[in-house]
Amino acid sequence: MGAGGRMSAATTKTEDKKNPLERVPYSKPPFTVGDIKKAIPPHCFKRSLLRSFSYVVYDLTLVSLFYYIATTYFHLLPSPYNYLAWPVYWIFQGCVCTGVWVIAHECGHHAFSDYQWVDDTVGLILHSALLVPYFSWKYSHRRHHSNTGSLERDEVFVPKPKSKMAWYSKYLNNPPGRVITLTTTLTLGWPLYLAFNVSGRPYDRFACHYDPYGPIYNDRERLQIYISDVGVIATSYLLYRVAMAKGLAWLICIYGVPLLIVNGFLVLITYLQHTHPSLPHYDSSEWDWLRGALATVDRDYGVLNKVFHNITDTHVAHHLFSTMPHYHAMEATKAIKPLLGEYYQLDGTPFYKAMWREAKECIYVEPDEGGKGVFWYKNKL
Protein backbone atom coordinates (compact mmCIF):
# COMPACT_ATOMS: atom_id res chain seq x y z
CA MET A 1 0.00 0.00 0.00
CA GLY A 2 1.78 3.12 -1.19
CA ALA A 3 5.33 3.67 -2.28
CA GLY A 4 7.86 1.26 -0.94
CA GLY A 5 5.64 -1.76 -0.41
CA ARG A 6 5.99 -3.24 3.06
CA MET A 7 9.55 -2.03 3.60
CA SER A 8 9.88 0.60 6.33
CA ALA A 9 12.31 3.49 6.30
CA ALA A 10 12.87 2.75 9.97
CA THR A 11 14.00 -0.84 9.46
CA THR A 12 17.12 -0.35 7.36
CA LYS A 13 19.30 -1.71 10.11
CA THR A 14 22.60 -1.18 8.37
CA GLU A 15 21.92 2.54 8.36
CA ASP A 16 20.87 2.74 12.03
CA LYS A 17 23.13 4.48 14.48
CA LYS A 18 24.75 2.03 16.88
CA ASN A 19 23.51 4.04 19.84
CA PRO A 20 20.29 5.96 19.19
CA LEU A 21 20.70 7.79 22.52
CA GLU A 22 23.92 9.46 21.39
CA ARG A 23 23.37 13.17 21.00
CA VAL A 24 22.92 14.50 17.50
CA PRO A 25 25.12 17.44 16.39
CA TYR A 26 23.77 20.86 17.32
CA SER A 27 26.21 23.07 15.41
CA LYS A 28 25.18 24.68 12.16
CA PRO A 29 24.98 21.91 9.49
CA PRO A 30 27.45 21.91 6.60
CA PHE A 31 24.51 21.71 4.15
CA THR A 32 21.51 23.88 3.32
CA VAL A 33 17.84 23.15 2.71
CA GLY A 34 18.59 23.58 -0.98
CA ASP A 35 21.26 20.89 -0.79
CA ILE A 36 18.80 18.52 0.86
CA LYS A 37 16.14 19.22 -1.75
CA LYS A 38 18.59 18.49 -4.57
CA ALA A 39 19.27 15.05 -3.08
CA ILE A 40 15.61 14.10 -3.40
CA PRO A 41 14.25 12.87 -6.77
CA PRO A 42 12.04 15.66 -8.21
CA HIS A 43 9.01 13.41 -8.59
CA CYS A 44 8.81 13.06 -4.80
CA PHE A 45 7.45 16.59 -4.61
CA LYS A 46 4.63 15.93 -7.07
CA ARG A 47 1.11 15.49 -5.67
CA SER A 48 -1.39 13.21 -7.37
CA LEU A 49 -5.07 13.91 -6.73
CA LEU A 50 -6.03 10.40 -7.83
CA ARG A 51 -3.42 8.68 -5.71
CA SER A 52 -4.20 10.80 -2.66
CA PHE A 53 -7.91 10.00 -2.94
CA SER A 54 -7.08 6.32 -3.28
CA TYR A 55 -5.81 6.37 0.30
CA VAL A 56 -9.01 8.06 1.46
CA VAL A 57 -11.10 5.41 -0.28
CA TYR A 58 -8.92 2.60 1.07
CA ASP A 59 -9.11 3.80 4.66
CA LEU A 60 -12.83 4.58 4.59
CA THR A 61 -13.51 1.18 3.03
CA LEU A 62 -11.76 -0.49 5.96
CA VAL A 63 -13.66 1.73 8.42
CA SER A 64 -16.95 0.73 6.79
CA LEU A 65 -15.99 -2.95 6.73
CA PHE A 66 -15.11 -3.00 10.43
CA TYR A 67 -18.34 -1.16 11.24
CA TYR A 68 -20.38 -3.63 9.19
CA ILE A 69 -18.78 -6.66 10.84
CA ALA A 70 -19.27 -5.24 14.34
CA THR A 71 -22.89 -4.24 13.88
CA THR A 72 -23.93 -7.29 11.88
CA TYR A 73 -22.16 -10.22 13.50
CA PHE A 74 -20.94 -9.39 17.00
CA HIS A 75 -24.36 -9.88 18.61
CA LEU A 76 -24.56 -13.34 17.02
CA LEU A 77 -21.39 -14.55 18.72
CA PRO A 78 -21.76 -16.75 21.81
CA SER A 79 -20.42 -15.53 25.13
CA PRO A 80 -17.60 -14.77 25.86
CA TYR A 81 -16.56 -14.32 22.22
CA ASN A 82 -18.98 -11.44 21.70
CA TYR A 83 -17.18 -9.54 24.49
CA LEU A 84 -13.73 -10.44 23.22
CA ALA A 85 -14.59 -9.24 19.71
CA TRP A 86 -15.13 -5.64 20.78
CA PRO A 87 -11.53 -4.89 21.86
CA VAL A 88 -10.34 -6.27 18.52
CA TYR A 89 -12.76 -3.94 16.72
CA TRP A 90 -11.68 -0.96 18.82
CA ILE A 91 -7.99 -1.52 18.09
CA PHE A 92 -8.44 -2.10 14.36
CA GLN A 93 -10.89 0.76 13.91
CA GLY A 94 -8.82 3.13 16.04
CA CYS A 95 -5.65 2.40 14.08
CA VAL A 96 -7.30 2.84 10.67
CA CYS A 97 -9.02 6.04 11.81
CA THR A 98 -5.60 7.32 12.90
CA GLY A 99 -4.61 6.86 9.25
CA VAL A 100 -7.66 8.94 8.28
CA TRP A 101 -6.49 11.60 10.72
CA VAL A 102 -3.06 11.57 9.03
CA ILE A 103 -4.62 12.15 5.60
CA ALA A 104 -6.46 15.19 6.96
CA HIS A 105 -3.12 16.32 8.40
CA GLU A 106 -1.71 16.06 4.87
CA CYS A 107 -4.52 18.32 3.67
CA GLY A 108 -3.56 20.90 6.30
CA HIS A 109 -0.06 20.98 4.83
CA HIS A 110 -1.35 21.27 1.23
CA ALA A 111 0.27 17.89 0.53
CA PHE A 112 -2.92 16.18 -0.68
CA SER A 113 -3.35 17.84 -4.09
CA ASP A 114 -2.39 20.87 -6.14
CA TYR A 115 -5.71 22.52 -5.27
CA GLN A 116 -5.99 24.29 -1.94
CA TRP A 117 -9.78 24.18 -1.94
CA VAL A 118 -9.72 20.40 -2.42
CA ASP A 119 -7.26 19.97 0.43
CA ASP A 120 -9.29 22.16 2.76
CA THR A 121 -12.59 20.52 1.84
CA VAL A 122 -11.27 16.98 2.35
CA GLY A 123 -9.39 17.97 5.50
CA LEU A 124 -12.40 19.75 7.00
CA ILE A 125 -14.68 16.75 6.43
CA LEU A 126 -12.24 14.13 7.71
CA HIS A 127 -11.04 16.08 10.73
CA SER A 128 -14.54 17.22 11.69
CA ALA A 129 -15.66 13.58 11.63
CA LEU A 130 -12.98 12.94 14.27
CA LEU A 131 -13.99 16.04 16.28
CA VAL A 132 -10.88 17.97 15.26
CA PRO A 133 -11.20 21.71 14.42
CA TYR A 134 -9.47 21.49 11.05
CA PHE A 135 -8.47 25.09 10.31
CA SER A 136 -7.69 25.83 13.96
CA TRP A 137 -5.25 22.96 14.16
CA LYS A 138 -3.94 23.61 10.63
CA TYR A 139 -2.71 27.08 11.57
CA SER A 140 -1.28 26.21 14.98
CA HIS A 141 0.42 23.14 13.48
CA ARG A 142 1.98 25.22 10.70
CA ARG A 143 3.45 27.49 13.36
CA HIS A 144 4.85 24.39 15.04
CA HIS A 145 6.59 23.55 11.77
CA SER A 146 7.89 27.11 11.49
CA ASN A 147 9.33 27.06 15.01
CA THR A 148 10.25 23.45 15.75
CA GLY A 149 12.79 23.11 18.54
CA SER A 150 12.39 26.70 19.75
CA LEU A 151 11.77 27.01 23.49
CA GLU A 152 10.05 30.37 22.99
CA ARG A 153 7.95 29.88 19.86
CA ASP A 154 7.26 26.19 19.25
CA GLU A 155 3.58 25.26 19.59
CA VAL A 156 3.46 21.73 20.99
CA PHE A 157 5.30 19.59 23.56
CA VAL A 158 7.42 22.56 24.54
CA PRO A 159 9.69 21.32 27.35
CA LYS A 160 10.21 23.39 30.48
CA PRO A 161 13.49 24.30 32.17
CA LYS A 162 14.01 22.86 35.63
CA SER A 163 13.23 26.19 37.28
CA LYS A 164 9.70 26.16 35.86
CA MET A 165 8.75 22.61 36.74
CA ALA A 166 5.63 22.26 38.87
CA TRP A 167 6.17 21.57 42.57
CA TYR A 168 4.50 18.15 42.32
CA SER A 169 6.76 16.94 39.46
CA LYS A 170 9.21 15.25 41.82
CA TYR A 171 6.38 13.17 43.28
CA LEU A 172 5.52 11.84 39.82
CA ASN A 173 9.13 10.96 38.91
CA ASN A 174 8.67 7.28 39.76
CA PRO A 175 6.98 4.27 38.11
CA PRO A 176 3.47 4.86 39.55
CA GLY A 177 3.76 8.56 38.76
CA ARG A 178 4.81 7.84 35.19
CA VAL A 179 1.84 5.50 34.76
CA ILE A 180 -0.49 8.26 35.94
CA THR A 181 1.19 10.87 33.74
CA LEU A 182 1.19 8.70 30.60
CA THR A 183 -2.41 7.56 31.11
CA THR A 184 -3.58 11.15 31.56
CA THR A 185 -1.56 12.35 28.57
CA LEU A 186 -2.81 9.63 26.21
CA THR A 187 -6.48 9.90 27.20
CA LEU A 188 -6.94 13.61 27.95
CA GLY A 189 -3.90 15.19 26.31
CA TRP A 190 -5.47 15.94 22.94
CA PRO A 191 -8.75 17.52 24.14
CA LEU A 192 -6.84 19.46 26.84
CA TYR A 193 -4.44 20.79 24.20
CA LEU A 194 -7.27 21.90 21.94
CA ALA A 195 -9.36 23.45 24.71
CA PHE A 196 -6.70 24.85 27.06
CA ASN A 197 -3.39 24.73 25.13
CA VAL A 198 -1.95 22.27 27.67
CA SER A 199 1.69 21.43 26.78
CA GLY A 200 1.61 24.15 24.13
CA ARG A 201 3.45 27.45 23.78
CA PRO A 202 2.71 29.89 26.62
CA TYR A 203 0.74 32.97 25.59
CA ASP A 204 0.09 36.17 27.52
CA ARG A 205 -3.59 35.24 27.83
CA PHE A 206 -5.91 32.26 27.60
CA ALA A 207 -5.37 30.27 24.39
CA CYS A 208 -7.93 27.88 22.91
CA HIS A 209 -8.22 26.27 19.47
CA TYR A 210 -11.97 26.94 19.43
CA ASP A 211 -11.64 30.68 20.07
CA PRO A 212 -11.44 32.68 16.82
CA TYR A 213 -10.21 35.70 18.77
CA GLY A 214 -7.62 33.83 20.80
CA PRO A 215 -3.91 34.74 20.65
CA ILE A 216 -3.09 31.73 18.46
CA TYR A 217 -4.75 33.30 15.40
CA ASN A 218 -4.54 36.52 13.42
CA ASP A 219 -7.37 38.52 11.86
CA ARG A 220 -7.11 36.80 8.46
CA GLU A 221 -7.64 33.37 10.04
CA ARG A 222 -10.60 34.08 12.31
CA LEU A 223 -13.39 33.28 9.83
CA GLN A 224 -11.91 29.85 9.17
CA ILE A 225 -11.75 29.18 12.92
CA TYR A 226 -15.51 29.75 12.98
CA ILE A 227 -15.84 27.24 10.13
CA SER A 228 -13.79 24.71 12.12
CA ASP A 229 -16.11 25.20 15.08
CA VAL A 230 -19.15 24.67 12.88
CA GLY A 231 -17.66 21.38 11.63
CA VAL A 232 -17.11 20.10 15.18
CA ILE A 233 -20.55 21.27 16.32
CA ALA A 234 -22.24 19.62 13.32
CA THR A 235 -20.48 16.32 14.06
CA SER A 236 -21.36 16.59 17.75
CA TYR A 237 -25.03 17.16 16.89
CA LEU A 238 -25.00 14.16 14.55
CA LEU A 239 -23.49 12.03 17.30
CA TYR A 240 -26.16 13.26 19.71
CA ARG A 241 -28.89 12.20 17.28
CA VAL A 242 -27.26 8.81 16.86
CA ALA A 243 -27.07 8.38 20.63
CA MET A 244 -30.75 9.21 20.92
CA ALA A 245 -31.63 6.67 18.24
CA LYS A 246 -29.18 3.86 19.06
CA GLY A 247 -28.28 4.50 22.69
CA LEU A 248 -25.21 5.99 24.32
CA ALA A 249 -23.59 2.59 24.95
CA TRP A 250 -23.87 1.72 21.24
CA LEU A 251 -22.26 5.03 20.25
CA ILE A 252 -19.43 4.59 22.74
CA CYS A 253 -18.68 1.09 21.45
CA ILE A 254 -18.86 1.98 17.77
CA TYR A 255 -17.35 5.49 17.79
CA GLY A 256 -16.22 6.59 21.24
CA VAL A 257 -13.58 3.99 22.10
CA PRO A 258 -11.96 4.03 18.61
CA LEU A 259 -11.82 7.83 18.88
CA LEU A 260 -10.00 7.52 22.21
CA ILE A 261 -7.46 5.28 20.49
CA VAL A 262 -7.05 7.80 17.67
CA ASN A 263 -6.47 10.61 20.16
CA GLY A 264 -4.03 8.49 22.14
CA PHE A 265 -2.00 7.55 19.10
CA LEU A 266 -1.75 11.07 17.69
CA VAL A 267 -0.54 12.37 21.06
CA LEU A 268 1.94 9.49 21.40
CA ILE A 269 3.21 9.87 17.83
CA THR A 270 3.78 13.61 18.26
CA TYR A 271 5.34 13.15 21.69
CA LEU A 272 7.83 10.55 20.49
CA GLN A 273 8.71 12.54 17.37
CA HIS A 274 9.86 15.50 19.44
CA THR A 275 10.91 13.99 22.76
CA HIS A 276 14.18 12.06 22.79
CA PRO A 277 17.32 12.15 24.95
CA SER A 278 19.49 12.79 21.89
CA LEU A 279 17.60 15.85 20.63
CA PRO A 280 18.47 19.46 21.47
CA HIS A 281 16.17 22.41 21.98
CA TYR A 282 17.27 26.00 21.40
CA ASP A 283 16.58 29.41 22.83
CA SER A 284 16.46 32.49 20.63
CA SER A 285 20.23 32.97 20.77
CA GLU A 286 20.90 29.67 18.98
CA TRP A 287 17.74 28.61 17.17
CA ASP A 288 17.42 28.59 13.39
CA TRP A 289 14.83 26.85 11.25
CA LEU A 290 17.03 24.10 9.79
CA ARG A 291 18.53 23.00 13.09
CA GLY A 292 15.06 23.06 14.63
CA ALA A 293 13.62 20.91 11.84
CA LEU A 294 16.45 18.42 12.29
CA ALA A 295 15.74 18.18 16.03
CA THR A 296 13.13 15.49 15.38
CA VAL A 297 13.35 11.71 15.26
CA ASP A 298 11.94 8.97 13.07
CA ARG A 299 10.37 6.07 14.98
CA ASP A 300 9.45 2.49 14.11
CA TYR A 301 5.89 1.35 14.83
CA GLY A 302 6.21 -1.92 12.95
CA VAL A 303 3.23 -2.76 10.76
CA LEU A 304 1.51 0.40 12.00
CA ASN A 305 3.97 2.47 9.97
CA LYS A 306 1.92 1.62 6.89
CA VAL A 307 -1.44 1.96 8.64
CA PHE A 308 -0.38 5.45 9.76
CA HIS A 309 0.81 6.32 6.23
CA ASN A 310 4.44 6.51 7.39
CA ILE A 311 3.97 9.65 9.45
CA THR A 312 5.95 7.75 12.09
CA ASP A 313 9.12 6.71 10.26
CA THR A 314 9.53 9.66 7.83
CA HIS A 315 9.00 12.56 10.20
CA VAL A 316 12.39 14.18 9.63
CA ALA A 317 11.71 14.47 5.90
CA HIS A 318 8.21 15.74 6.67
CA HIS A 319 9.59 18.57 8.79
CA LEU A 320 12.00 19.54 6.05
CA PHE A 321 9.39 19.42 3.26
CA SER A 322 5.89 19.37 4.71
CA THR A 323 4.09 19.73 1.36
CA MET A 324 5.58 16.44 0.14
CA PRO A 325 2.91 13.67 -0.14
CA HIS A 326 3.29 10.86 2.37
CA TYR A 327 3.56 8.25 -0.38
CA HIS A 328 6.90 9.75 -1.50
CA ALA A 329 8.32 10.37 1.98
CA MET A 330 10.04 7.00 2.36
CA GLU A 331 11.92 7.40 -0.91
CA ALA A 332 12.86 10.94 0.11
CA THR A 333 14.04 9.75 3.53
CA LYS A 334 16.31 7.17 1.94
CA ALA A 335 17.70 9.82 -0.41
CA ILE A 336 18.57 12.37 2.29
CA LYS A 337 20.10 10.03 4.88
CA PRO A 338 23.62 10.03 3.34
CA LEU A 339 23.65 13.84 3.19
CA LEU A 340 22.27 14.39 6.69
CA GLY A 341 24.64 11.86 8.23
CA GLU A 342 24.75 12.25 12.02
CA TYR A 343 22.14 15.01 11.83
CA TYR A 344 19.55 12.36 10.94
CA GLN A 345 18.09 10.60 13.95
CA LEU A 346 16.31 7.25 13.84
CA ASP A 347 15.35 5.18 16.86
CA GLY A 348 14.01 1.69 16.21
CA THR A 349 13.10 1.07 19.87
CA PRO A 350 9.53 -0.35 20.01
CA PHE A 351 7.21 2.58 20.65
CA TYR A 352 5.80 1.20 23.88
CA LYS A 353 9.32 0.83 25.33
CA ALA A 354 10.35 4.24 24.00
CA MET A 355 7.27 5.82 25.57
CA TRP A 356 8.27 4.58 29.03
CA ARG A 357 11.95 5.46 28.56
CA GLU A 358 11.22 9.01 27.39
CA ALA A 359 8.75 9.54 30.23
CA LYS A 360 11.58 8.57 32.60
CA GLU A 361 14.52 10.35 30.96
CA CYS A 362 12.98 13.49 29.39
CA ILE A 363 11.58 15.48 32.32
CA TYR A 364 12.95 18.99 31.71
CA VAL A 365 15.64 20.74 29.64
CA GLU A 366 18.79 22.51 30.75
CA PRO A 367 21.98 23.60 28.99
CA ASP A 368 25.16 21.73 29.76
CA GLU A 369 27.65 23.14 32.23
CA GLY A 370 28.98 26.34 30.70
CA GLY A 371 26.75 25.92 27.66
CA LYS A 372 24.44 28.60 26.36
CA GLY A 373 21.45 28.50 24.07
CA VAL A 374 21.37 24.71 23.54
CA PHE A 375 19.20 22.72 25.94
CA TRP A 376 19.12 18.94 26.55
CA TYR A 377 16.68 16.68 28.30
CA LYS A 378 17.50 15.73 31.89
CA ASN A 379 15.64 13.96 34.68
CA LYS A 380 17.29 14.71 38.05
CA LEU A 381 14.72 16.61 40.11
Side-chain angles (χ1 to χ4, degrees), residues 4-302:
R6 297 184 59 84
M7 185 179 295
S8 168
T11 55
T12 313
K13 300 301 181 184
T14 57
E15 296 178 7
D16 286 2
K17 292 177 62 174
K18 291 183 179 179
N19 180 12
L21 301 183
E22 181 182 345
R23 288 180 176 181
V24 299
Y26 60 87
S27 58
K28 188 174 181 179
F31 47 80
T32 66
V33 178
D35 295 331
I36 303 171
K37 188 172 183 179
K38 289 177 182 177
I40 300 173
H43 71 265
C44 289
F45 297 97
K46 294 182 179 179
R47 296 162 290 205
S48 166
L49 185 62
L50 182 61
R51 187 169 183 182
S52 293
F53 264 115
S54 73
Y55 287 93
V56 178
V57 172
Y58 183 88
D59 281 356
L60 294 184
T61 299
L62 288 178
V63 169
S64 301
L65 177 63
F66 296 152
Y67 169 83
Y68 175 78
I69 293 172
T71 56
T72 304
Y73 296 108
F74 280 12
H75 69 282
L76 300 176
L77 293 173
S79 182
Y81 300 109
N82 54 340
Y83 296 105
L84 296 175
W86 281 108
V88 176
Y89 165 80
W90 294 334
I91 294 170
F92 276 65
Q93 193 72 293
C95 290
V96 173
C97 285
T98 301
V100 174
W101 195 100
V102 171
I103 292 175
H105 158 266
E106 291 255 302
C107 293
H109 281 293
H110 195 23
F112 187 82
S113 76
D114 292 331
Y115 310 98
Q116 186 68 65
W117 71 270
V118 173
D119 290 30
D120 286 342
T121 301
V122 174
L124 178 64
I125 293 171
L126 296 181
H127 261 172
S128 296
L130 297 170
L131 295 179
V132 179
Y134 169 73
F135 288 108
S136 307
W137 179 84
K138 167 183 172 179
Y139 290 125
S140 69
H141 187 65
R142 281 189 178 182
R143 292 188 178 97
H144 157 62
H145 272 256
S146 298
N147 299 284
T148 306
S150 167
L151 290 175
E152 288 97 349
R153 298 186 306 275
D154 202 350
E155 286 283 347
V156 64
F157 283 118
V158 183
K160 295 179 180 179
K162 188 177 182 178
S163 61
K164 293 185 179 180
M165 293 297 293
W167 63 269
Y168 53 81
S169 298
K170 60 182 179 180
Y171 300 108
L172 296 174
N173 193 23
N174 51 63
R178 283 189 281 277
V179 170
I180 294 172
T181 301
L182 286 170
T183 301
T184 303
T185 300
L186 296 180
T187 55
L188 300 178
W190 179 239
L192 288 175
Y193 171 66
L194 292 178
F196 304 107
N197 197 41
V198 173
S199 84
R201 167 187 171 181
Y203 287 93
D204 57 1
R205 58 192 176 92
F206 177 70
C208 171
H209 278 74
Y210 303 102
D211 180 8
Y213 295 93
I216 302 175
Y217 309 109
N218 59 45
D219 290 338
R220 291 178 299 175
E221 297 164 349
R222 305 203 194 283
L223 176 60
Q224 291 180 313
I225 309 309
Y226 278 114
I227 296 173
S228 296
D229 292 347
V230 170
V232 172
I233 292 170
T235 301
S236 300
Y237 177 73
L238 177 61
L239 294 173
Y240 166 76
R241 299 293 297 182
V242 171
M244 291 298 100
K246 296 283 192 177
L248 181 60
W250 186 94
L251 181 63
I252 291 173
C253 286
I254 291 295
Y255 178 86
V257 179
L259 184 64
L260 281 176
I261 292 175
V262 172
N263 293 348
F265 263 126
L266 69 93
V267 169
L268 178 61
I269 290 168
T270 308
Y271 172 72
L272 290 182
Q273 286 166 341
H274 298 282
T275 307
H276 195 278
S278 71
L279 297 179
H281 283 74
Y282 306 94
D283 67 14
S284 57
S285 68
E286 283 287 339
W287 182 88
D288 63 66
W289 183 86
L290 179 56
R291 281 191 289 173
L294 292 172
T296 59
V297 57
D298 286 349
R299 300 279 192 169
D300 187 4
Y301 284 66

Side-chain angles (χ1 to χ4, degrees), residues 172-175 177-179 181-182 271-272 275 277 353-364 377-381:
L172 296 174
N173 193 23
N174 51 63
R178 283 189 281 277
V179 170
T181 301
L182 286 170
Y271 172 72
L272 290 182
T275 307
K353 291 184 179 180
M355 173 182 66
W356 184 258
R357 183 190 67 199
E358 268 54 298
K360 179 181 178 181
E361 301 293 333
C362 304
I363 307 299
Y364 60 90
Y377 278 111
K378 299 181 181 181
N379 69 346
K380 304 299 182 183
L381 290 173

